[in-house]
Amino acid sequence: MDVSKLQRDEASNEVTRQGLIATVPPISQLPTELLAEIIRLALPPVDFMHEDLDLYAVFHVQMLYAMRLIAKQWQEIIDGTPTFWIFVVSTLPPYVNEATIRRSGSGPLAILYAMKPRFSGYSASLHNFLEPLAHTFPRWSTYSGPIVEKYLDKPAPHLQRIILMRSMRSSSPLELLGGSATNLRHVHLSNASIRWRMGLFTHLNVLKLVGVGDEELTTAHLLDILRASPCLEHLEFDEMDVTVNPPTSQLITLPGLRYIHFRRCWTDFIRAILGQIRAPSCIGFYLDVDLFGFEYDIPAFLNEDLRPFHELLRATHRRTGSSQITLSSDTFSWRSLGGQNIEDRLSFSLYMTRFDPKLHIRWVESILLGDPGLTIEIRRPRNVGQQLFEAIAPMRSVTKLELHSTRTVDEFFLVLEFIGKPLSADPSSPSLPCLQELLLTGEDWELQNLLDMVYSRFDSVSWEGIEQTPLTISIPRESFTSDGYPRILDLTMLMKIRETKGVARVQSVGSEDLDGQLAITWDERTSTVVCG
């Protein structure tokens, strides 16, 4: 046998083999287990707290099918990994759901019925969707949809997450999972009627109740759940109408509770819950409360019931560097800026009716302790009244004032007159002494009033003995008069305002589309207007 020929053939085969390897993408040369993990990390997360949960799940399934097309190896890995195939969704065609069930092996399934599909995909009735899934019930780990007694009135040992809406047909309260619901970790009930008893839920991570008003349900039941759920992370109540029991002396500490939401709940209910819990790890606090009927007790609510969260409000403002108060005739809202909807970012939002200017403003002051960065937005100045101006005038935390919904020159003048005046208690200091920016929106206002304000505000007597805070005046580019016409600003008047000592600049804000607009800037070097 010709040894040299064999060597040449072997060398040729090696070259061919190396060439084939070179054509295979490097990622496909990874071990199967590692490639499967990369695929898992590439799949979009599904937010079980989102109202469009079905859309998240559909996108997850669509991504699986898209990645199956990349290569034969990818298809084999995806089809052969049961943990990828979880979501069975009513808006997906039956053959897609059948494939999911088949590929999931004996693994858990998330059964999601979309009550109100938000896109024009496949739509199935509840019966037609659930009937083919009956044999998979022991594998359900998540169910989202209407109450269906045929499934939900019996034990389901593997069911850990349940998102229930009111049944399409009127029914008596459901004995949820046959009364054996302690395996649940995520409970979201929306207008769903169930039988309540002590010990029903334990070791929850999420508790969200919306529109629950069962006569059987009391705050004692809810506190019992919280006491039995030391690992709770998310607590949310919306439009609750339950019996409020007298408070107990035993506080409940929830070390892992990160998000607390109260929306459109009565004050006595909120006080009954907040007064009994402590959440040292809370990073998101959201409160919407109507103080009607509790006006006499507003100080206690702000300073006692909300005291455990004062440090969170202060820390959030300091970390994000800003927060905003919005004031109207009888409503008060205070929210953090730049922190909402960002994971692990401190945030808060407080909305209260029956606004008491003096009480609420002093309360905010006591929390911020003079830290700068507070924006105050005033809507309908005439409605908020002189009492409000007197309350906010000495605040050193306020660095920005936004003026909205001024429908008359008089309303606009009210605010400008306030900004231009010195403090009544200290004539040597101006109102809002640390104000850095004034944003003007609204409809009817006059530049002459603005000029009078800056002349008055930056009068030398008003800043006697203190450092002057330069003021930036911001005007929206898309500004209109009350008649609906684009606002045309007098350049000469703008120049006088800008030249006033103490005015840092007059700037346009808003849309960056300047097509067809005259750009006017100030040249600091030559002290002249530059048009272009």
Side-chain angles (χ1 to χ4, degrees), residues 126-370:
L126 182 61
H127 174 79
N128 290 341
F129 173 62
L130 291 180
E131 194 64 26
L133 307 178
H135 68 286
T136 68
F137 179 71
R139 294 203 282 138
W140 291 10
S141 64
T142 297
Y143 173 75
S144 174
I147 291 178
V148 184
E149 294 185 10
K150 177 180 177 181
Y151 297 93
L152 302 178
D153 63 353
K154 55 188 176 184
H158 297 292
L159 192 61
Q160 293 194 328
R161 185 183 292 110
I162 196 162
I163 304 169
L164 286 184
M165 281 72 82
R166 185 189 298 276
S167 174
M168 293 180 176
R169 295 179 300 176
S170 177
S171 60
S172 58
L174 173 71
E175 187 71 53
L176 184 61
L177 303 183
S180 179
T182 55
N183 55 295
L184 292 174
R185 297 295 174 263
H186 178 129
V187 173
H188 174 182
L189 306 179
S190 182
N191 298 301
S193 179
I194 68 171
R195 294 194 179 280
W196 293 91
R197 59 177 177 78
M198 294 296 183
L200 179 61
F201 301 122
T202 63
H203 299 94
L204 294 182
N205 301 126
V206 173
L207 176 61
K208 180 177 180 179
L209 303 180
V210 180
V212 176
D214 296 80
E215 294 181 1
E216 296 180 359
L217 180 60
T218 69
T219 54
H221 288 100
L222 299 176
L223 292 172
D224 175 69
I225 296 172
L226 300 183
R227 192 173 292 109
S229 302
C231 295
L232 191 71
E233 298 176 4
H234 184 107
L235 178 64
E236 185 168 350
F237 296 118
D238 190 343
E239 293 186 332
M240 297 292 289
D241 185 14
V242 303
T243 302
V244 176
N245 300 115
T248 64
S249 58
Q250 182 183 3
L251 292 177
I252 304 169
T253 299
L254 299 167
L257 183 56
R258 294 161 63 81
Y259 301 98
I260 300 175
H261 300 242
F262 286 87
R263 294 190 178 95
R264 299 180 292 275
C265 294
W266 293 106
T267 310
D268 56 349
F269 172 76
I270 296 175
R271 298 183 72 177
I273 301 298
L274 288 185
Q276 295 296 115
I277 66 173
R278 295 295 180 266
S281 300
C282 183
I283 63 172
F285 184 60
Y286 310 96
L287 180 68
D288 179 345
V289 56
D290 187 347
L291 295 171
F292 176 75
F294 285 85
E295 291 87 348
Y296 66 93
D297 227 4
I298 291 178
F301 179 71
L302 296 176
N303 297 308
E304 296 175 18
D305 299 314
L306 297 185
R307 180 177 295 279
F309 301 94
H310 286 186
E311 183 55 39
L312 170 65
L313 304 180
R314 183 183 303 113
T316 302
H317 177 88
R318 286 178 176 175
R319 186 173 299 184
T320 60
S322 60
S323 61
Q324 177 171 307
I325 290 176
T326 300
L327 305 171
S328 188
S329 56
D330 65 345
T331 60
F332 164 89
S333 72
W334 183 23
R335 63 185 179 90
S336 56
L337 298 175
Q340 292 86 343
N341 303 319
I342 301 177
E343 190 175 358
D344 295 330
R345 184 80 175 267
L346 296 179
S347 64
F348 67 83
S349 176
L350 310 176
Y351 179 87
M352 305 179 195
T353 59
R354 304 303 183 267
F355 166 52
D356 184 314
K358 188 173 182 180
L359 281 175
H360 282 83
I361 294 301
R362 293 294 170 263
W363 176 66
V364 172
E365 276 193 302
S366 70
I367 292 173
L368 294 185
L369 301 175

